[in-house]
Short mmCIF file of all heavy atoms in Angstrom, two decimals:
data_model
loop_
_atom_site.label_atom_id
_atom_site.label_comp_id
_atom_site.label_asym_id
_atom_site.label_seq_id
_atom_site.Cartn_x
_atom_site.Cartn_y
_atom_site.Cartn_z
N ARG A 1 -75.59 -86.48 63.01
CA ARG A 1 -76.42 -86.51 61.81
C ARG A 1 -75.89 -87.36 60.71
O ARG A 1 -76.56 -87.81 59.80
CB ARG A 1 -76.66 -85.13 61.24
CG ARG A 1 -77.73 -84.30 62.12
CD ARG A 1 -77.65 -82.78 61.84
NE ARG A 1 -78.79 -82.15 62.45
CZ ARG A 1 -78.96 -81.81 63.78
NH1 ARG A 1 -77.91 -82.26 64.61
NH2 ARG A 1 -80.00 -81.26 64.23
N LEU A 2 -74.54 -87.63 60.75
CA LEU A 2 -73.88 -88.46 59.79
C LEU A 2 -73.70 -89.92 60.28
O LEU A 2 -73.79 -90.84 59.49
CB LEU A 2 -72.54 -87.90 59.52
CG LEU A 2 -72.54 -86.58 58.69
CD1 LEU A 2 -71.13 -86.00 58.64
CD2 LEU A 2 -72.97 -86.74 57.31
N VAL A 3 -73.40 -90.11 61.58
CA VAL A 3 -73.07 -91.46 62.00
C VAL A 3 -73.99 -91.96 63.14
O VAL A 3 -73.81 -93.13 63.59
CB VAL A 3 -71.61 -91.52 62.49
CG1 VAL A 3 -70.62 -91.04 61.36
CG2 VAL A 3 -71.34 -90.70 63.69
N GLY A 4 -74.90 -91.16 63.61
CA GLY A 4 -75.80 -91.56 64.68
C GLY A 4 -75.22 -91.09 65.98
O GLY A 4 -73.99 -90.79 66.18
N VAL A 5 -76.14 -91.14 67.08
CA VAL A 5 -75.76 -90.61 68.32
C VAL A 5 -74.64 -91.42 69.01
O VAL A 5 -73.68 -90.80 69.62
CB VAL A 5 -77.00 -90.45 69.24
CG1 VAL A 5 -76.59 -90.06 70.66
CG2 VAL A 5 -77.93 -89.37 68.66
N ASP A 6 -74.89 -92.72 69.09
CA ASP A 6 -73.93 -93.49 69.75
C ASP A 6 -72.54 -93.49 69.27
O ASP A 6 -71.51 -93.32 69.87
CB ASP A 6 -74.38 -95.02 69.89
CG ASP A 6 -74.66 -95.63 68.61
OD1 ASP A 6 -74.78 -94.91 67.54
OD2 ASP A 6 -74.69 -96.91 68.44
N ARG A 7 -72.39 -93.50 67.93
CA ARG A 7 -71.11 -93.51 67.26
C ARG A 7 -70.46 -92.16 67.38
O ARG A 7 -69.26 -92.00 67.59
CB ARG A 7 -71.27 -93.87 65.75
CG ARG A 7 -69.92 -93.81 65.02
CD ARG A 7 -69.04 -94.99 65.31
NE ARG A 7 -69.49 -96.19 64.65
CZ ARG A 7 -68.77 -97.30 64.74
NH1 ARG A 7 -67.65 -97.40 65.33
NH2 ARG A 7 -69.22 -98.38 64.12
N ALA A 8 -71.27 -91.09 67.35
CA ALA A 8 -70.78 -89.76 67.52
C ALA A 8 -70.14 -89.55 68.87
O ALA A 8 -69.10 -88.93 69.03
CB ALA A 8 -71.82 -88.71 67.26
N LEU A 9 -70.88 -90.08 69.89
CA LEU A 9 -70.31 -89.89 71.21
C LEU A 9 -69.06 -90.76 71.39
O LEU A 9 -68.09 -90.27 72.01
CB LEU A 9 -71.34 -90.30 72.27
CG LEU A 9 -72.59 -89.34 72.43
CD1 LEU A 9 -73.58 -90.00 73.31
CD2 LEU A 9 -72.10 -88.13 73.06
N GLU A 10 -68.94 -91.90 70.84
CA GLU A 10 -67.77 -92.73 70.84
C GLU A 10 -66.59 -92.03 70.24
O GLU A 10 -65.46 -91.98 70.77
CB GLU A 10 -68.03 -94.05 70.24
CG GLU A 10 -66.84 -95.01 70.29
CD GLU A 10 -67.06 -96.33 69.65
OE1 GLU A 10 -67.23 -96.43 68.42
OE2 GLU A 10 -67.22 -97.35 70.47
N ILE A 11 -66.83 -91.43 69.10
CA ILE A 11 -65.74 -90.69 68.39
C ILE A 11 -65.28 -89.53 69.20
O ILE A 11 -64.02 -89.31 69.26
CB ILE A 11 -66.27 -90.21 66.97
CG1 ILE A 11 -66.50 -91.45 66.03
CG2 ILE A 11 -65.33 -89.29 66.33
CD1 ILE A 11 -67.24 -91.08 64.79
N LEU A 12 -66.23 -88.84 69.78
CA LEU A 12 -65.86 -87.63 70.56
C LEU A 12 -65.13 -88.04 71.90
O LEU A 12 -64.13 -87.46 72.35
CB LEU A 12 -67.08 -86.78 70.92
CG LEU A 12 -67.57 -86.07 69.66
CD1 LEU A 12 -69.01 -85.47 70.04
CD2 LEU A 12 -66.66 -84.92 69.19
N TRP A 13 -65.72 -89.03 72.60
CA TRP A 13 -65.23 -89.40 73.85
C TRP A 13 -63.89 -90.12 73.85
O TRP A 13 -63.07 -90.01 74.76
CB TRP A 13 -66.20 -90.37 74.62
CG TRP A 13 -67.35 -89.68 75.12
CD1 TRP A 13 -67.45 -88.31 75.38
CD2 TRP A 13 -68.70 -90.25 75.50
NE1 TRP A 13 -68.79 -88.08 75.91
CE2 TRP A 13 -69.48 -89.19 75.94
CE3 TRP A 13 -69.16 -91.50 75.50
CZ2 TRP A 13 -70.78 -89.41 76.43
CZ3 TRP A 13 -70.43 -91.76 75.93
CH2 TRP A 13 -71.21 -90.73 76.46
N THR A 14 -63.50 -90.82 72.72
CA THR A 14 -62.29 -91.48 72.65
C THR A 14 -61.21 -90.74 71.93
O THR A 14 -59.99 -90.85 72.27
CB THR A 14 -62.41 -92.85 71.92
OG1 THR A 14 -62.73 -92.60 70.54
CG2 THR A 14 -63.45 -93.72 72.53
N GLY A 15 -61.58 -89.80 71.05
CA GLY A 15 -60.63 -89.11 70.23
C GLY A 15 -59.80 -90.04 69.35
O GLY A 15 -58.70 -89.61 68.86
N ASP A 16 -60.31 -91.27 69.03
CA ASP A 16 -59.55 -92.17 68.28
C ASP A 16 -59.32 -91.69 66.84
O ASP A 16 -60.11 -90.88 66.25
CB ASP A 16 -60.24 -93.47 68.15
CG ASP A 16 -60.17 -94.33 69.43
OD1 ASP A 16 -59.39 -93.98 70.32
OD2 ASP A 16 -61.00 -95.27 69.58
N THR A 17 -58.21 -92.12 66.18
CA THR A 17 -57.85 -91.77 64.84
C THR A 17 -58.39 -92.93 63.87
O THR A 17 -58.25 -94.10 64.19
CB THR A 17 -56.31 -91.60 64.62
OG1 THR A 17 -55.94 -90.51 65.52
CG2 THR A 17 -55.98 -91.34 63.15
N TYR A 18 -58.96 -92.50 62.73
CA TYR A 18 -59.48 -93.47 61.77
C TYR A 18 -58.77 -93.27 60.49
O TYR A 18 -58.43 -92.12 60.00
CB TYR A 18 -60.98 -93.20 61.58
CG TYR A 18 -61.78 -93.47 62.80
CD1 TYR A 18 -61.96 -92.44 63.80
CD2 TYR A 18 -62.44 -94.63 63.01
CE1 TYR A 18 -62.74 -92.63 64.88
CE2 TYR A 18 -63.17 -94.92 64.23
CZ TYR A 18 -63.39 -93.86 65.14
OH TYR A 18 -64.11 -94.05 66.21
N THR A 19 -58.50 -94.34 59.73
CA THR A 19 -58.00 -94.29 58.41
C THR A 19 -59.18 -93.80 57.46
O THR A 19 -60.35 -93.78 57.93
CB THR A 19 -57.52 -95.64 57.88
OG1 THR A 19 -58.71 -96.48 57.74
CG2 THR A 19 -56.51 -96.16 58.75
N ALA A 20 -58.86 -93.43 56.23
CA ALA A 20 -59.89 -92.95 55.35
C ALA A 20 -60.92 -94.04 55.12
O ALA A 20 -62.16 -93.76 55.09
CB ALA A 20 -59.25 -92.56 54.01
N GLU A 21 -60.47 -95.24 54.93
CA GLU A 21 -61.36 -96.41 54.65
C GLU A 21 -62.30 -96.59 55.97
O GLU A 21 -63.50 -96.89 55.76
CB GLU A 21 -60.59 -97.65 54.28
CG GLU A 21 -60.03 -97.67 52.92
CD GLU A 21 -61.03 -97.69 51.78
OE1 GLU A 21 -62.23 -97.94 52.08
OE2 GLU A 21 -60.59 -97.55 50.67
N GLU A 22 -61.73 -96.55 57.11
CA GLU A 22 -62.49 -96.75 58.34
C GLU A 22 -63.52 -95.61 58.48
O GLU A 22 -64.72 -95.89 58.80
CB GLU A 22 -61.61 -96.78 59.54
CG GLU A 22 -60.72 -98.07 59.69
CD GLU A 22 -59.68 -98.01 60.72
OE1 GLU A 22 -59.33 -96.83 61.09
OE2 GLU A 22 -59.19 -99.02 61.20
N ALA A 23 -63.09 -94.46 58.11
CA ALA A 23 -64.03 -93.27 58.23
C ALA A 23 -65.16 -93.44 57.19
O ALA A 23 -66.34 -93.02 57.46
CB ALA A 23 -63.23 -91.95 58.03
N LYS A 24 -64.88 -93.94 56.03
CA LYS A 24 -65.91 -94.20 54.96
C LYS A 24 -66.88 -95.22 55.52
O LYS A 24 -68.13 -95.10 55.33
CB LYS A 24 -65.27 -94.66 53.68
CG LYS A 24 -66.22 -94.88 52.59
CD LYS A 24 -65.61 -95.25 51.30
CE LYS A 24 -66.58 -95.41 50.13
NZ LYS A 24 -67.44 -96.56 50.31
N GLN A 25 -66.47 -96.25 56.13
CA GLN A 25 -67.29 -97.33 56.65
C GLN A 25 -68.35 -96.85 57.61
O GLN A 25 -69.44 -97.42 57.70
CB GLN A 25 -66.47 -98.49 57.14
CG GLN A 25 -65.71 -99.27 56.14
CD GLN A 25 -64.78 -100.29 56.73
OE1 GLN A 25 -64.80 -100.57 57.89
NE2 GLN A 25 -63.90 -100.86 55.94
N ILE A 26 -67.95 -95.86 58.45
CA ILE A 26 -68.90 -95.36 59.49
C ILE A 26 -69.60 -94.10 59.04
O ILE A 26 -70.39 -93.51 59.81
CB ILE A 26 -68.17 -95.08 60.74
CG1 ILE A 26 -67.03 -94.01 60.62
CG2 ILE A 26 -67.54 -96.44 61.29
CD1 ILE A 26 -66.38 -93.68 61.97
N GLY A 27 -69.40 -93.67 57.80
CA GLY A 27 -70.24 -92.54 57.22
C GLY A 27 -69.63 -91.22 57.29
O GLY A 27 -70.30 -90.25 56.98
N LEU A 28 -68.38 -91.10 57.73
CA LEU A 28 -67.77 -89.78 57.81
C LEU A 28 -67.28 -89.24 56.42
O LEU A 28 -67.21 -88.05 56.23
CB LEU A 28 -66.45 -89.83 58.71
CG LEU A 28 -66.81 -89.94 60.19
CD1 LEU A 28 -65.52 -90.07 61.05
CD2 LEU A 28 -67.67 -88.75 60.77
N ILE A 29 -66.95 -90.19 55.50
CA ILE A 29 -66.38 -89.86 54.23
C ILE A 29 -67.19 -90.56 53.17
O ILE A 29 -67.77 -91.71 53.29
CB ILE A 29 -64.85 -90.37 54.14
CG1 ILE A 29 -64.06 -89.42 55.04
CG2 ILE A 29 -64.37 -90.31 52.72
CD1 ILE A 29 -62.55 -89.83 55.08
N THR A 30 -67.38 -89.90 52.06
CA THR A 30 -68.26 -90.37 50.93
C THR A 30 -67.48 -91.28 50.03
O THR A 30 -67.95 -92.28 49.62
CB THR A 30 -68.83 -89.19 50.19
OG1 THR A 30 -69.32 -88.14 51.01
CG2 THR A 30 -69.91 -89.66 49.24
N HIS A 31 -66.22 -90.79 49.59
CA HIS A 31 -65.47 -91.61 48.63
C HIS A 31 -63.99 -91.57 49.06
O HIS A 31 -63.53 -90.55 49.53
CB HIS A 31 -65.54 -90.98 47.24
CG HIS A 31 -66.85 -90.95 46.59
ND1 HIS A 31 -67.43 -92.09 45.97
CD2 HIS A 31 -67.73 -89.98 46.34
CE1 HIS A 31 -68.63 -91.84 45.55
NE2 HIS A 31 -68.90 -90.57 45.73
N VAL A 32 -63.36 -92.70 48.91
CA VAL A 32 -61.91 -92.83 49.16
C VAL A 32 -61.29 -93.27 47.86
O VAL A 32 -61.68 -94.17 47.24
CB VAL A 32 -61.56 -93.81 50.32
CG1 VAL A 32 -60.06 -93.92 50.46
CG2 VAL A 32 -62.14 -93.39 51.59
N VAL A 33 -60.23 -92.52 47.37
CA VAL A 33 -59.56 -92.86 46.16
C VAL A 33 -58.08 -92.93 46.39
O VAL A 33 -57.52 -92.36 47.39
CB VAL A 33 -59.86 -91.75 45.11
CG1 VAL A 33 -61.35 -91.68 44.84
CG2 VAL A 33 -59.37 -90.42 45.55
N PRO A 34 -57.26 -93.68 45.61
CA PRO A 34 -55.85 -93.67 45.78
C PRO A 34 -55.26 -92.23 45.72
O PRO A 34 -55.79 -91.37 45.02
CB PRO A 34 -55.42 -94.45 44.45
CG PRO A 34 -56.52 -95.25 44.17
CD PRO A 34 -57.77 -94.52 44.46
N ASP A 35 -54.25 -92.10 46.41
CA ASP A 35 -53.63 -90.75 46.67
C ASP A 35 -53.39 -90.01 45.38
O ASP A 35 -53.75 -88.81 45.10
CB ASP A 35 -52.33 -90.81 47.34
CG ASP A 35 -52.37 -91.34 48.81
OD1 ASP A 35 -53.63 -91.41 49.27
OD2 ASP A 35 -51.44 -91.78 49.34
#
């Protein structure tokens, strides 16, 4: 519902780790701010 079916399956099937900025780009995170 957040990233679409294909991207969701890729995230689940690979178990890859994403940075905050990468997660924001694919729709997992709304805002990224300095620590």
Side-chain angles (χ1 to χ4, degrees):
R1 285 166 168 77
L2 291 171
V3 302
V5 172
D6 58 340
R7 180 71 77 174
L9 287 171
E10 180 176 74
I11 291 169
L12 290 169
W13 284 341
T14 65
D16 285 347
T17 297
Y18 298 84
T19 67
E21 287 290 352
E22 289 169 339
K24 182 177 183 294
Q25 289 173 12
I26 62 176
L28 289 177
I29 288 175
T30 316
H31 296 285
V32 177
V33 299
D35 297 346

